[in-house]
Amino acid sequence: MKRLVAALVLALAGLVATMAQAHEVRPAYLSIDQRAPEDFDVLWKVPTRGEARLALGVSLPSACAETSPVVAADVGAAMASRWSVRCTGGLDGKTLAIDGLVATYTDVIARIAWSDGTVQTARLTPDFPDLVLETAPGALATAKAYFFLGVEHILLGIDHLLFVLALLLLIRDLRRLIETITAFTVAHSITLAAAALGWTQVPQPPVEAAIALSIAVVAAEIIRAERGETDLSIRYPWLIAFLFGLLHGFGFGGALRDIGLPQKDVPLALLTFNLGVEAGQLLFVAAVLVVALVARRLFAMRGALIRGPVGYATGCVAGFWFVERVVSFMV
């Protein structure tokens, strides 16, 4: 039993290594802005890891020709290339593709901003590496794209998931679990909207460091609860979930702001992105509860046997992230 617990703790601590490898699964980003009926500016970001870069390229329609040289720059964990093109007849109804995508495990977020304010956003995958460009994308296409962007963002956001896991370990009964998850949802929905709509401007690097700190705080509460100690946050976990949910919402909102919102469908895009985040979060909660149930049935494991060691491991991982992130924006 002790060996099993030790293995679980080591697996959680291995999240640090997972985060170090995260560049391999982060999506690439393609942005095309229309300046005139046939003139477009292109921004292409490809994730990098050290000297390695994913072998991906943008294949525009054959009617497009470069009107400026490609300017590439290392922007930290990604290589960004910018250039301008002129596409005879425009891009409406034309198809672009991502070369090399079928041989990877990553995705590409594509954003096309037309001069009338319409924005087409899509997620290209190894199974579907092509995109038909539309100047008037339907509401269903917008809703689908932003919903899956929300699901992808939460499931790739290991720090957000680790915070939810810490909350699950802190809570002992179903009613409090529902209250806590609801409080977290309401809170991050508020700041997600505020950040994405530009009502508030919060620098992203300090937010990411503070998110890591929030995980460490909840991990400390888990340890204190196991020792029989109690305070306001342990008695009312929904309160700490709400307060830190406001913080996590800035993280979600920053990601959505980077992707961009379609000017003509802002409420729909915001709603479906948030619903996608919630769907991904609920999938994770369900998976954790199923694993916990199976562990109890197969190994007769008591919750107390898991909470303490996993609480310590969570705190260690969060502490490492906090120091790493503070150093990244202080130097």
Side-chain angles (χ1 to χ4, degrees):
M1 187 65 70
K2 291 182 178 179
R3 289 182 179 179
L4 180 58
V5 173
L8 289 172
V9 172
L10 287 174
L12 182 58
L15 283 172
V16 176
T18 302
M19 287 297 290
Q21 301 293 328
H23 300 302
E24 297 177 2
V25 296
R26 287 187 303 105
Y29 179 71
L30 173 64
S31 175
I32 300 177
D33 292 291
Q34 184 180 37
R35 292 186 291 105
E38 296 185 343
D39 295 323
F40 301 85
D41 293 327
V42 182
L43 168 63
W44 174 232
K45 289 184 179 180
V46 180
T48 59
R49 180 170 175 243
E51 298 295 326
R53 171 186 169 180
L54 292 177
L56 300 176
V58 181
S59 179
L60 295 172
S62 58
C64 295
E66 294 179 5
T67 56
S68 72
V70 177
V71 177
D74 187 343
V75 293
M79 182 63 69
S81 301
R82 298 176 183 271
W83 70 96
S84 298
V85 296
R86 175 162 293 168
C87 302
T88 304
L91 285 177
D92 186 28
K94 306 292 179 59
T95 300
L96 66 79
I98 304 299
D99 295 334
L101 187 59
V102 294
T104 70
Y105 293 99
T106 193
D107 299 334
V108 175
I109 306 301
R111 178 180 181 271
I112 296 83
W114 304 98
S115 56
D116 65 353
T118 301
V119 175
Q120 179 183 4
T121 304
R123 173 172 162 266
L124 306 183
T125 67
D127 293 328
F128 300 97
D130 303 333
L131 174 65
V132 177
L133 305 174
E134 300 175 287
T135 54
L140 181 60
T142 299
K144 180 180 177 182
Y146 279 87
F147 178 83
F148 283 107
L149 285 174
V151 173
E152 181 178 74
H153 181 69
I154 185 67
L155 293 182
L156 292 180
I158 298 178
D159 48 359
H160 297 295
L161 295 182
L162 191 56
F163 180 80
V164 174
L165 175 61
L167 289 176
L168 293 176
L169 292 171
L170 183 62
I171 301 164
R172 306 298 177 84
D173 63 75
L174 182 60
R175 182 179 66 83
R176 284 193 175 183
L177 175 61
I178 294 173
E179 290 176 351
T180 302
I181 294 298
T182 301
F184 184 65
T185 296
V186 171
H188 74 61
S189 297
I190 293 171
T191 47
L192 187 158
L197 294 173
W199 296 343
T200 58
Q201 296 292 333
V202 181
Q204 202 66 14
V207 167
E208 296 298 329
I211 287 173
L213 184 60
S214 73
I215 301 170
V217 170
V218 178
E221 293 299 297
I222 294 171
I223 303 304
R224 296 181 68 242
E226 286 303 300
R227 293 173 178 173
E229 301 176 21
T230 184
D231 60 15
L232 186 64
S233 62
I234 294 175
R235 292 196 302 271
Y236 303 102
W238 63 267
L239 181 60
I240 193 171
F242 183 85
L243 293 175
F244 285 134
L246 294 173
L247 184 64
H248 284 246
F250 284 120
F252 295 139
L256 183 55
R257 188 174 60 247
D258 290 341
I259 296 170
L261 290 169
Q263 294 182 21
K264 295 187 177 181
D265 286 312
V266 170
L268 177 63
L270 193 58
L271 173 63
T272 51
F273 182 86
N274 199 50
L275 289 176
V277 169
E278 294 314 309
Q281 181 176 286
L282 290 176
L283 284 173
F284 176 73
V285 170
V288 170
L289 294 178
V290 168
V291 170
L293 179 62
V294 170
R296 287 185 179 183
R297 293 287 180 84
L298 293 181
F299 306 105
M301 298 177 68
R302 294 180 292 109
L305 188 64
I306 292 295
R307 288 192 189 94
V310 175
Y312 279 111
T314 300
C316 291
V317 172
F320 175 85
W321 285 341
F322 176 70
V323 173
E324 181 184 50
R325 293 173 182 184
V326 168
V327 170
S328 70
F329 70 80
M330 291 293 289
V331 297

